[in-house]
Each structure stands twice: as structure tokens, then as C-alpha cells.
């Protein structure tokens, strides 16, 4: 995931374009997997975190690392401080929900719509 996120921000000048590229790649990966996958971190968190404090901590650390990476990339693209923190939270939460709905619908459309929503949030922030 980190590689894809970095690539999205390296290849795109704006936050909106980076998120759109990233979500599109997530949709392509989901479709290529026959809509069986999604975010492995989300699956582990949902299915196993309750079973073990160690798994809970590992999931928490992984999400925190993802968040920190995204905050840094957002900062490099002009969003800093609290704005970057808020946007990183919104972007990850939006992506996770869109992956779930895309999986159920067997369509990348929810990811496309989610990317458009993030663009609105970025412009408003």
C-alpha cells in the first residue's frame, strides 16, 4: 500500500489527482482479484483484532504508519499541520469504505465516486 500511495503522489501534482490515481489503482487491483480482496489490513483488523492484544497493536501500528506516510505526502503537496492530519484521516476512511462497497457491488464505481468526494473535501479544507 505504501508503495502505491507514494507513487500516486510522485506522479500527480495535486492531492485530488493523486487520490484519484490511487483509488483507481485500488479498483483495478480489486477487479483483477475478482473482488475477493480489498485492504488486507482492514480484513485482519475486522476479523482478528478482537482476538489478540498483539494483533490489535500490530493493526494500530500499521494504520498509524500509513497515516504518517500520508500526512507527509500531503504536506509535500501543500497541506500541512492539522489540515494534513484531517485529510489523511478522511482519505483513508473514505478509501476503506469505498473498497468494501466496491467489493460487494463488484464494481469500481464506489471508488470513483469516493475519489470525487475526496476532491471536494480537499478543496473545502
Amino acid at each position: 500500500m505504501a508503495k502505491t500511495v507514494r507513487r500516486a503522489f510522485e506522479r500527480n501534482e495535486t492531492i485530488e489527482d493523486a487520490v484519484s490515481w490511487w483509488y483507481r489503482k485500488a479498483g483495478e487491483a480489486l477487479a483483477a482479484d475478482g473482488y475477493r480482496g480489498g485492504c488486507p489490513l482492514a480484513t485482519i483488523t475486522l476479523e482478528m483484532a478482537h482476538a489478540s492484544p498483539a494483533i490489535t497493536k500490530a493493526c494500530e501500528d500499521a494504520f498509524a504508519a500509513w497515516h504518517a506516510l500520508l500526512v507527509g505526502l500531503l504536506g509535500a503537496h501543500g497541506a500541512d499541520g492539522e489540515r494534513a492530519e484531517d485529510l489523511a484521516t478522511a482519505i483513508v476512511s473514505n478509501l476503506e469504505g469505498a473498497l468494501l462497497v466496491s467489493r460487494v457491488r463488484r464494481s469500481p464505481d464506489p471508488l470513483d465516486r469516493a475519489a470525487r468526494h475526496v476532491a471536494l473535501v480537499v478543496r473545502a479544507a
Side-chain angles (χ1 to χ4, degrees), residues 1 10 70:
M1 183 64 75
E10 288 168 357
L70 191 50

Side-chain angles (χ1 to χ4, degrees), residues 10 22 37-38 58 60-61 67 73-74 76 82 86 88 91 95 111 125:
E10 288 168 357
W22 173 17
E60 180 182 358
D61 291 348
H67 180 84
L73 292 167
L74 290 166
E82 199 68 25
D86 289 348
I91 290 167
L95 175 68
L111 283 158

Side-chain angles (χ1 to χ4, degrees):
M1 183 64 75
K3 184 173 142 181
T4 302
V5 174
R6 279 191 196 96
R7 191 173 294 145
F9 281 84
E10 288 168 357
R11 293 181 177 189
N12 294 279
E13 290 185 27
T14 68
I15 294 168
E16 297 96 316
D17 289 343
V19 170
S20 179
W21 186 93
W22 173 17
Y23 283 29
R24 186 174 59 257
K25 290 297 181 186
E28 290 170 2
L30 191 60
D33 189 37
Y35 293 93
R36 292 182 307 240
C39 176
L41 181 55
T43 302
I44 292 167
T45 301
L46 289 169
E47 296 296 325
M48 298 302 300
H50 70 282
S52 160
I55 293 174
T56 299
K57 177 71 170 127
C59 291
E60 180 182 358
D61 291 348
F63 272 115
W66 189 11
H67 180 84
L69 170 64
L70 191 50
V71 168
L73 292 167
L74 290 166
H77 278 71
D80 56 2
E82 199 68 25
R83 180 173 180 241
E85 292 283 339
D86 289 348
L87 286 174
T89 299
I91 290 167
V92 171
S93 298
N94 187 311
L95 175 68
E96 292 295 348
L99 281 168
L100 178 65
V101 176
S102 287
R103 186 174 175 186
V104 168
R105 291 186 183 168
R106 301 183 61 76
S107 168
D109 183 63
L111 283 158
D112 296 339
R113 292 177 184 275
R116 288 195 301 268
H117 179 256
V118 168
L120 294 172
V121 171
V122 169
R123 286 184 210 120

